[in-house]
Amino acid sequence: MDVIDATATPAWAALAGLAASFKPDLRQWFASDPGRAERLTLTAGDLVVDLSKNLVNEPILAALTDLAEQVELPKRRAAMVAGERINVTEGRSVLHTALRRPRGDSLVVDGVDVVAEVHAVLDRVFEFADRVRSGDWTGVTGRPIATVVNIGIGGSDLGPAMVYEALKPYLRPGLECRFVSNIDPTDIAEKTAGLDPETTLFIVASKTFTTFETLTNARLARQWLWSQLIAAGAIEDTAAARQDAVGRHFAAVSTALDKVAAFGIDPSNAFGFWDWVGGRYSVDSAVGTVLAVAFGPDRFTEFLAGFRAMDEHFLSAPADRNVPLLMGLLNIWYSNFLGAATHAVLPYAQSLHRFAAYLQQLTMESNGKRVRLDGSAVTSGTGEIFWGEPGTNGQHAFYQLIHQGTQLIPADFIAVANSAYPLRDGDNDVHELFLANFFAQTKALAFGKTAEEVRAEGTPEAIVPARVFPGNRPTTSILAPALSPGVVGQLIALYEHIVFVEGVVWGVDSFDQWGVELGKQLALQIAPALAGDAAALAAQDSSTRRLIAQCQTWRRRV
């Protein structure tokens, strides 16, 4: 695939020139331009996005949008949604946007109407969800399901777990979901602790049904189910009873129906997705089956509609009003021209406490690349380190560094106007107190506090420097009416498209993830050494051998 070197474009040169002489002054910019906030506040779906506290002016914004044109971003975007094989290292289309296209749309790729296939799977997922939610689906003793345990890893865990936490107020009463991902046995042990096996349903999410961690945890869950049911006298200790128990207490998200059946799961209770859906882009596919069960088909449909609203905005809004495009380009400005290495995402919504973790996979697995689409070395820095914590928790942890440290850390602040829990503390609306912090932090980061202002408060001169806030710390404010299923879908799609924009500029394949493979391969080679295989141990480097030997010494003492 032809790759345009962004660093060779006129726009890149213009941005480099602007950066060389750049002296941001948000106080002065706001004072001299009363229309700045209005002009740089945009809407996308239900989201109001204020870009005015970013370190940009009109020439910089113009050069950034020129850069998008010069790397042919509109052409690349059209190729993605049309199903062209833009994931070049795997020879695959990239069609997560097809997962939320409405019923009746048509997109034919390689002779297959992928939208029709998506809705055929959704129909089966929704039928399954309704059966579980209504109590029609029962365990081996005839009792309805009270707990659903999703077993997956990466995109089969991070997305569903994050959305489950975000939308808990919509959870069907009497139902609980848990999520198992880590191969550390602590995870499966703690997530099954206290569960009633007669009312527990496991959903094993692995497209190929070969994912090492997921299948290990699935086998442990199966063994837990059998042992608990037998100990309780709910089933006999026979092969037939065990098989019946798996069929009544397990479902799968997978296309490997032969492996699903070999595990003991009825293939009619397996829901597939496609190789044109990367794991980190899959929460709105059958991977979200646990969410359809938790919140119901209607809410899941609203969730998909939120994605679609952001897709339509990204595809149709002009460049100077296109929120994902501009946010992606701003990230390029900060990371490639102003030296920012990290990016904070700070949701002032406790329900989004797993959003930063979700974005870590979405952003860093996508754009943490050192070669371009054609295999050549990248010509600029790529990727950002995404991190964050919710609300005022972060204020009492790392905001010191953001406000007064020496590193430039762009930050996205996310808030909702209405809480699902409108609590009061005496005369005070607690959510309003929370929101006051949201507004205060972006104001403080933007405008800071001068030495003169500190002195005017009567501060002793010796500590004036410690109380100065330099300001000019860039933030984007994202405000929504409430954390509804649609808004959560919009937020996810917003960042999906931000990732796409950055990947196009850097010329990388944002949809493969070869960097995760080497460690997995080596783990399989090292496992026999831990189990006592002398030859496998001898094949390791000296550091690894010594560490394994120490570990074995301690394990023998237990």
Side-chain angles (χ1 to χ4, degrees), residues 139-162:
V140 288
T141 60
R143 295 172 62 191
I145 299 301
T147 307
V148 181
V149 180
N150 189 83
I151 302 176
I153 198 165
S156 296
D157 169 75
L158 284 165
M162 181 274 289

Side-chain angles (χ1 to χ4, degrees), residues 182-264:
N182 203 329
I183 198 174
D184 183 337
T186 303
D187 198 12
I188 186 73
E190 292 186 345
K191 297 298 172 54
T192 54
L195 293 185
D196 184 340
E198 296 180 39
T199 61
T200 299
L201 173 68
F202 295 95
I203 299 177
V204 184
S206 172
K207 184 190 297 185
T208 61
F209 223 70
T210 58
T211 308
F212 178 68
E213 298 90 342
T214 299
L215 267 294
T216 299
N217 280 325
R219 288 189 293 269
L220 290 172
R222 184 176 61 183
Q223 185 57 48
W224 172 88
L225 179 73
W226 286 337
S227 64
Q228 294 288 312
L229 290 173
I230 291 168
I235 65 171
E236 296 181 357
D237 189 4
T238 66
R242 287 172 178 249
Q243 176 61 41
D244 184 44
V246 173
R248 303 283 287 275
H249 291 269
F250 275 82
V253 176
S254 179
T255 53
L257 297 184
D258 56 338
K259 294 182 177 65
V260 167
F263 185 88

Side-chain angles (χ1 to χ4, degrees), residues 121-132 136 271 297:
V121 173
L122 272 178
D123 288 344
R124 293 184 58 240
V125 168
F126 288 172
E127 180 185 13
F128 171 76
D130 280 336
R131 289 187 64 198
V132 175
D136 180 53
F271 311 100

